[in-house]
């Protein structure tokens, strides 16, 4: 998924907002088709959201998900060490995405691992 889109996340209380933005407009319909409220709810099943709501933003080639009750009560109430929603977009971007072959050239190339590209000297 991260080769097809990027994400931003925010939180307020016990609610997280996750935005997913297509890297290319032609990929947006594919994201709309596969990144449903049900699929995102399954991806976050361990956090047991009480509701997942999707808002489509077609002019931005984006969508926003609102996940209720996923932050263990929120920053001030949670016993969890990291109860912020900042990293939750990575959970969405880790979801598999079936991409038809004609759209494959539109995917972003993975960022190389710096360990693979660095030369080591002794």
């Amino acid at each position: 998924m991260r080769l097809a889109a990027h994400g931003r996340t925010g939180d307020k209380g016990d609610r997280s907002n996750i935005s997913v933005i297509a890297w290319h407009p032609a990929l947006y319909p594919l994201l709309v088709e596969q990144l449903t409220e049900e699929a995102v709810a399954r991806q976050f099943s361990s956090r047991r959201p009480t509701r997942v709501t999707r808002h489509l933003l077609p002019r931005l080639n984006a969508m926003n998900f609102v996940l209720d009750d996923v932050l263990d009560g929120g920053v001030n109430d949670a016993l969890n060490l990291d109860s912020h929603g900042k990293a939750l977009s990575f959970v969405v971007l880790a979801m598999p995405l079936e991409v038809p072959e004609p759209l494959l050239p539109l995917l972003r190339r993975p960022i190389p691992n710096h360990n693979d590209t660095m030369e080591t000297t002794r």
Side-chain angles (χ1 to χ4, degrees):
M1 174 86 62
R2 69 182 179 84
L3 302 180
H6 59 103
R8 300 286 298 165
T9 313
D11 57 76
K12 191 63 95 174
D14 201 13
R15 176 180 282 173
S16 181
N17 283 286
I18 301 171
S19 295
V20 177
I21 306 106
W23 286 118
H24 190 281
L27 295 169
Y28 180 67
L30 188 67
L31 295 173
V32 170
E33 175 188 319
Q34 295 182 38
L35 205 54
T36 63
E37 292 172 344
E38 295 78 17
V40 171
R42 279 192 306 275
Q43 184 74 357
F44 285 94
S45 63
S46 66
R47 290 186 172 259
R48 298 180 304 281
T50 57
R51 182 174 55 187
V52 174
T53 307
R54 180 177 76 168
H55 302 279
L56 299 178
L57 306 163
R59 287 185 165 184
L60 299 174
N61 297 307
M63 60 187 76
N64 185 66
F65 291 92
V66 179
L67 286 72
D68 291 330
D69 304 313
V70 293
L71 300 175
D72 297 326
V75 176
N76 296 325
D77 293 336
L79 298 176
N80 186 345
L81 289 177
D82 184 10
S83 57
H84 295 274
K86 293 178 185 176
L88 296 184
S89 64
F90 291 105
V91 176
V92 173
L93 295 176
M95 294 174 65
L97 185 67
E98 294 181 27
V99 180
E101 192 157 343
L103 295 179
L104 290 177
L106 302 178
L107 299 178
R108 290 274 173 125
R109 293 184 181 183
I111 298 170
N113 180 338
H114 75 289
N115 293 325
D116 295 338
T117 58
M118 288 178 48
E119 290 184 27
T120 309
T121 57
R122 292 185 187 191

